[in-house]
Amino acid sequence: QVQLVESGGGVVQPGRSLRLSCAASGFTFSRYGMHWVRQAPGKGLEWVADIWYDGSNKYYAESVKGRFTISRDNSKNTVYLQMNSLRAEDMAIYYCARDLGPGNVFYFDYWGQGTLVTVSS
Amino acid sequence: QSALTQPASVSGSPGQSITISCTGTSSDVGGYDYVSWYQHHPGKAPKLMIYDVSKRPSGVSNRFSGSKSGNTASLTISGLQAEDEGAYYCCSYAGISSLVTFGGGTKLTVL
């Protein structure tokens, strides 16, 4: 069955960097777009970034544009989120989610359990 | 503040029906038939319940239905069951500049 397992979360100081990973299994990873979605404490869901099935297109929420970078390695069935210049408002549970299609459908049909990023000095 | 407006909470008794609204603008909900709904139980992965306004993914109960009128989308759950309790989020495509926007979420309590 489809599984998405995030890792890499933790406590980081403001201004520092962190890289999240999401290992996928149970489906042909290279055929699907992948997203990162986050949920700040006590808040709702917020879409963060998207990468197409082949990595050819990447899109970001305005709140993270220029600071976060999404990438993927189809040989390792893994999607990454490089987060630089972290701010207090980036503190959240970060979920990776599969696109219902190649990356441009923006429906998230499978999600991981999430990894917590805490930004604190 | 979320771009899409949902009620903070709704409640209903087992067997009843409830409807959760999701109000946006002509730039998102009203402009595209690309609305989806997600169920989220605390500590678990969110689950896609509805996409393309009213389509159900395989495995989702037909007690869940979606609709849209103008700038407002709705999720209706009929025959409420205890397991339906949790948070529900609407989501809409919002054009090439914003791409995707979520609602603030609605907590459903089954009395």
Side-chain angles (χ1 to χ4, degrees):
Chain A
Q1 72 279 22
V2 173
Q3 275 199 312
L4 300 171
V5 180
E6 302 94 338
S7 61
V11 180
V12 61
Q13 294 179 328
R16 303 299 292 265
S17 300
L18 204 61
R19 188 176 87 152
L20 306 182
S21 300
C22 171
S25 60
F27 65 100
T28 304
F29 182 72
S30 60
R31 292 184 181 175
Y32 290 87
M34 297 296 296
H35 301 261
W36 287 95
V37 179
R38 68 185 180 184
Q39 183 176 31
K43 303 291 187 182
L45 299 172
E46 179 190 15
W47 173 78
V48 173
D50 162 45
I51 185 167
W52 281 28
Y53 68 105
D54 58 356
S56 60
N57 287 289
K58 304 173 186 181
Y59 301 97
Y60 300 92
E62 283 297 324
S63 57
V64 307
K65 201 174 288 185
R67 300 186 300 121
F68 289 13
T69 301
I70 190 171
S71 62
R72 65 190 294 158
D73 185 337
N74 285 348
S75 69
K76 295 182 178 179
N77 288 356
T78 301
V79 61
Y80 305 96
L81 186 67
Q82 177 68 42
M83 305 185 294
N84 298 332
S85 303
L86 281 162
R87 305 168 179 167
E89 54 264 35
D90 295 318
M91 184 163 67
I93 297 172
Y94 284 74
Y95 298 96
C96 75
R98 191 182 80 167
D99 191 278
L100 196 59
N104 59 346
V105 175
F106 289 95
Y107 296 138
F108 318 113
D109 63 346
Y110 287 95
W111 300 60
Q113 297 281 348
T115 187
L116 177 63
V117 173
T118 301
V119 182
S120 174
S121 53
Chain B
Q1 185 176 349
S2 302
L4 305 181
T5 301
Q6 298 180 233
S9 63
V10 299
S11 62
S13 299
Q16 287 186 332
S17 294
I18 62 96
T19 296
I20 300 171
S21 62
C22 170
T23 302
T25 69
S26 58
S27 297
D28 38 63
V29 174
Y32 310 94
D33 286 334
Y34 300 138
V35 176
S36 53
W37 289 89
Y38 300 86
Q39 177 190 65
H40 191 196
H41 292 129
K44 294 197 171 183
K47 179 182 179 181
L48 176 66
M49 306 302 286
I50 296 286
Y51 67 100
D52 280 355
V53 175
S54 60
K55 295 179 180 176
R56 277 189 309 275
S58 173
V60 172
S61 170
N62 59 8
R63 297 186 298 106
F64 292 83
S65 61
S67 63
K68 192 186 86 166
S69 177
N71 296 336
T72 298
S74 298
L75 173 72
T76 296
I77 308 173
S78 59
L80 268 180
Q81 299 179 1
E83 67 211 45
D84 299 332
E85 195 165 271
Y88 290 83
Y89 294 89
C90 63
C91 181
S92 175
Y93 179 70
I96 196 66
S97 57
S98 301
L99 290 175
V100 181
T101 186
F102 280 94
T106 297
K107 181 178 180 182
L108 168 63
T109 301
V110 180
L111 302 171

